[in-house]
Amino acid sequence: MAALLHLTQMIGGAAHAGDAAASLPVHEPVTGEAFATCPAGTQDDVDAAVRAAQQAFPAWSSLSGEERAGWLHRLANAVNEHAEELVHAESRDAGKPLKLAREVEIPRAAQNLRFFAAAASQFASESHHGTAGLNYTLRAPLGVVGCISPWNLPLYLFTWKIAPALAAGNCVVAKPSEITPVTAWMLGELAREINFPAGVLNIVHGLGPVVGKALVEHPGIKAVSFTGSTAVGRQIAAHCGPALKKTSLELGGKNATVVFADVFKDSARRERLLDTVVRAAFQNSGQICLCGSRILIERSVYADFRDAFLARVRALRTGDPLDPSSNLGPLVSRAHFDKVLACIALARDEGGHVLCGGEALSLEGRCAGGWFIAPTVIDGLGPDCRSNTEEIFGPVVTLQAFDDDAHALALANATPYGLSASVWTQQLERAHRIAAGLLCGIVWINTWLLRDLRTPFGGVGQSGLGREGGMEAMRFFTEPKNICIQLD
Ligand code: NAD
């Protein structure tokens, strides 16, 4: 058996092993075996990281935007130079197909760093000239900020948070998920190799209710940027509200894919529609907050769409993420695997018909102990049942038929979440009308997960508070100050 990889904390530019006896096992979802250990950080680690960040803040915040951009570009270069190691680590830690890590997630991590490097040099603030004199706005970094990220897109989301925080001149204490901590640790090691200024980026590993909570509640933390579950987001809001601490909360989703008959009937469009709806449903085994897990279909094409969709889903291969022919890997953890199976059981209890999948898969060889679930499609459930209102976050989708635009909107909006939606029609006015009527933060028309990093990203309702992306993130990580000059 290969030796375990031992991760370390990165505090003040140094690696700290922590108490080996109290370290947390990191499991490989494909085998169910531990392959690494992660330090179980403590309040003391968070205190030390905040102190290191406070010491680094005056020098880092005094650098010009171009100088900070230079450091982010150097970190992005290091990610690119070590991309293949990061791809393998991400695939192993999260159980995601190698292809997905190689083609999407690790390149995007480097892109996040470069995008916000550009933002550091191009960030500007407003000025207003009028009867109330000349006003301009200064935007200063906040100080030390906390960034907490989840397990589903580990390095992609970790960099999406730390990059704007650093670009805007803040120092960061970041906490990756204890379930998938490896690539964040590797990024910390790369930062140390390129002599990234000590204390500017600190990475503290450990359990959410210990390290995450200590970070959120630390009086030295001026703002919290969190991506994760709605339940934890609510706890963070409950602390940060009374403490008057700035928060950005990117939470769960239960997104609708709305398919109008015209696209399905158009043979030139049908393939792309079906391919994209399948990808939106099952990419990363459905473990993406933006996945389209409720597919709404215009009734006139419901049966034909269902059959064509099912044929594609049955052709998906669930298997070893290292095998290039695998479309889906395992679920990320034993606990999550159990949760998703319980959701499928609940859907059956609620009267749902499982049209395909619906069970755990026992694979052979090195995958024998892995947490695999077959891609699952369910119909026969109404909009109000738990299967259609609560986030499952696995390879499970439901189908529902709608009669007209108003019905489509009523079904799409029938959840407390409001992150994203994907609408499929070639009728221009209808597309805009539906997009305007959807209660969510992001609407894709005839596509899914096409991202321009300059756009506002986030949700409404139980999907969160605030927006990330582009200048929204730069504004979140800075405090505006109005300067007013009377001109007479
Ligand atoms: P989670 O809420 O369990 O954990 C997220 C992070 O918060 C982890 O680092 C965890 O250690 C930490 N944490 C846990 N308890 C904490 C506490 N009490 N205080 C502070 N930090 C704490 O979420 P998860 O299971 O890792 O991720 C899946 C969830 O994330 C899904 O609901 C998904 O929809 C959501 N998500 C949302 C977005 C988005 O952009 N809206 C993106 C990805 C994932």
Side-chain angles (χ1 to χ4, degrees), residues 148-153 157 160 175-179 206-214 216 226-233 235-236 249-253 287-290 336 391 393 417 419 457-459 463 468:
I148 302 177
S149 49
W151 50 257
N152 65 323
L153 307 171
L157 288 174
W160 180 238
K175 190 209 124 21
S177 170
E178 61 275 31
I179 297 170
L207 295 172
V210 180
V211 168
K213 185 169 186 291
V216 167
F226 171 81
T227 298
S229 63
T230 299
V232 173
Q235 290 173 31
I236 292 174
L249 301 173
E250 299 294 339
L251 311 177
Q287 301 168 121
I288 303 180
C289 54
L290 303 163
H336 193 55
E391 184 181 48
F393 215 56
Y417 293 101
L419 189 53
F457 180 92
S463 290
E468 296 186 329

